[in-house]
Amino acid sequence: MAPSPSRPKIAIIGAGPAGLTLARLLHVSDVQADLTIYELDAAPTSRPDQGGTLDLHADTGLAAIRKCGLWGAFGRYARLEGEELILADKNATELNVPAGDVRWGWHLREVVEGGMLRFDGREEMEGPFDLVVGADGAWSKSQGSELVSVSGGRGEETLDKYGKRGTLERIFERYAGRAPEMTEFLRQGDPSGLRHWTLYELPIGCKWEHKKGFTLIGDAASLATPFSGEGVNKAMKDSFQLAELIEKSQDPEDDLTLDQAVSSYEQLMFPRAEKFQAVTMANKQTMFGLDTPVGLMTHLVKTLAHDNPSILMKMLGTAPVVAMVFGFFWIRQQVGWAVRRFWRRT
């Protein structure tokens, strides 16, 4: 059946957590749409490393898992013993999206006016699509914002100068004097896997003017460093909200159009993303501050107090309480140093 205004063509660029969550939500909803996912990777198993353990939160990532109807399958793979950290890699839901929806090995070159897509190595363009959703992560070809490097070139320079084994030795030198249990995981590591990994972020509050037939979700919309554990949760929340609004646009009792649904999603996402980016920035600056880890603990206390509606909890964020917390952890830090320096056997 040829697509009609009531059955739009939707392209999702990227089969990561955001793109697959959106695809799954649209698949299990009442939305009538022709859906295609374009993914750069050649196959679901083409990457040797799918990334580390991620922390899914109850009202965002886990809520999306439930809405996707995947709670039972998720429970079989979740690492509940990992101090409430949840395993969720890039292709976690690929078996739950119809196989024909994902086109593997498609590298987007550009999005062209009129909902057309141009891919590397392919003469024919794809489309037109009524909606193109950029879910292609940090290096999204769907967005035009400039990424900012936040880790500099020191790691790369060190690797180039000293090699992998020499770099590991300098890491040990940097953390000399630390409790041995804190550096043991470094000693157990495989130096051959050591690599430079630059961190990037988009400016806090990054936005774009709404454009009909186009939007962004996940890292493509609001990339941040991993210092708040919110990235994948924010991405899945994006997918959750966008899918709900697209479904609402097809409700015969609602006069919301597809374009209005996408615009509404963006207006809901922008302030949520800005808050998450600001928290991430504050965490990053605190974690690498001169008074860490004591400064980190007082920062967490202030954040907890600010976000909690309880008057009692908000009292924790007042200057006298924060000063007491700082003093407590500072004393503990000095006692720990003395024990390690004069009594503990290394």
Side-chain angles (χ1 to χ4, degrees):
M1 181 178 67
S4 65
S6 61
R7 188 180 178 86
K9 289 184 65 177
I10 300 176
I12 299 175
I13 312 301
L20 289 177
T21 299
L22 177 60
R24 174 66 181 179
L25 289 171
L26 293 176
H27 177 65
V28 300
S29 71
D30 294 328
V31 170
Q32 299 296 311
D34 293 310
L35 183 65
T36 306
I37 309 167
Y38 297 95
E39 168 55 38
L40 171 61
D41 286 357
T45 57
S46 62
R47 292 192 184 190
D49 182 4
Q50 291 290 349
T53 300
L54 300 174
D55 178 13
L56 299 186
H57 301 165
D59 59 342
T60 49
L62 294 180
I65 291 290
R66 289 183 183 276
K67 185 70 173 180
C68 285
L70 299 175
W71 190 255
F74 170 77
R76 292 194 292 272
Y77 299 100
R79 292 186 56 230
L80 300 179
E81 78 283 1
E83 295 187 358
E84 299 184 1
L85 295 177
I86 307 302
L87 178 65
D89 64 32
K90 176 180 177 182
N91 298 313
T93 59
E94 59 92 13
L95 294 179
N96 297 289
V97 174
D101 285 356
V102 183
R103 298 190 183 182
W104 300 97
W106 288 65
H107 185 200
L108 180 68
R109 183 188 304 172
E110 62 176 330
V111 179
V112 184
E113 290 291 334
M116 301 296 293
L117 305 176
R118 180 176 285 116
F119 293 87
D120 285 343
R122 302 178 189 272
E123 294 184 4
E124 297 292 328
M125 289 195 295
E126 292 281 299
F129 291 97
D130 299 292
L131 176 61
V132 176
V133 181
D136 42 346
W139 298 104
S140 173
K141 294 295 181 65
S142 309
Q143 50 100 334
S145 299
E146 184 176 351
L147 296 182
V148 178
S149 169
V150 298
S151 57
R154 185 181 305 171
E156 188 171 9
E157 292 170 1
T158 303
L159 277 170
D160 291 343
K161 183 177 181 179
Y162 298 106
K164 294 182 177 181
R165 178 64 66 176
T167 297
L168 188 59
E169 292 175 356
R170 274 149 188 81
I171 292 175
F172 288 139
E173 290 174 4
R174 180 172 183 175
Y175 291 100
R178 299 291 180 100
E181 60 267 28
M182 296 180 67
T183 56
E184 183 60 24
F185 75 96
L186 292 173
R187 301 181 188 282
Q188 296 297 326
D190 180 7
S192 65
L194 195 63
R195 55 163 290 187
H196 172 246
W197 202 312
T198 303
L199 298 179
Y200 294 91
E201 62 189 13
L202 285 168
I204 295 176
C206 178
K207 300 178 182 179
W208 61 87
E209 292 293 329
H210 173 67
K211 185 176 182 179
K212 185 175 182 179
F214 169 82
T215 196
L216 299 170
I217 59 177
D219 284 349
S222 53
L223 179 69
T225 52
F227 297 110
S228 67
E230 291 288 352
V232 72
N233 291 285
K234 185 267 178 187
M236 296 175 78
K237 180 71 171 182
D238 291 351
S239 302
F240 197 145
Q241 285 187 333
L242 181 56
E244 282 192 330
L245 286 162
I246 291 175
E247 184 174 14
K248 187 178 179 182
S249 73
Q250 294 193 352
D251 186 342
E253 297 183 0
D254 199 304
D255 59 0
L256 187 72
T257 67
L258 176 61
D259 184 56
Q260 290 171 339
V262 174
S263 179
S264 296
Y265 149 73
E266 291 170 349
Q267 296 310 309
L268 289 170
M269 184 271 292
F270 287 146
R272 178 166 50 84
E274 183 173 355
K275 179 180 178 181
F276 135 73
Q277 288 176 305
V279 169
T280 303
M281 177 67 75
N283 288 352
K284 179 185 69 177
Q285 293 173 340
T286 305
M287 288 178 182
F288 293 98
L290 296 177
D291 59 354
T292 295
V294 177
L296 175 61
M297 298 304 298
T298 54
H299 167 70
L300 294 176
V301 169
K302 289 189 288 186
T303 300
L304 178 64
H306 179 269
D307 293 340
N308 198 296
S310 167
I311 295 178
L312 181 61
M313 290 299 296
K314 286 190 178 299
M315 290 178 61
L316 290 176
T318 60
V321 176
V322 170
M324 290 176 59
V325 171
F326 187 95
F328 172 76
F329 285 108
W330 184 85
I331 292 173
R332 284 198 60 179
Q333 184 182 33
Q334 304 312 308
V335 171
W337 174 86
V339 169
R340 185 169 64 252
R341 177 70 176 80
F342 298 108
W343 288 286
R344 178 185 288 178
R345 292 194 309 169
T346 58

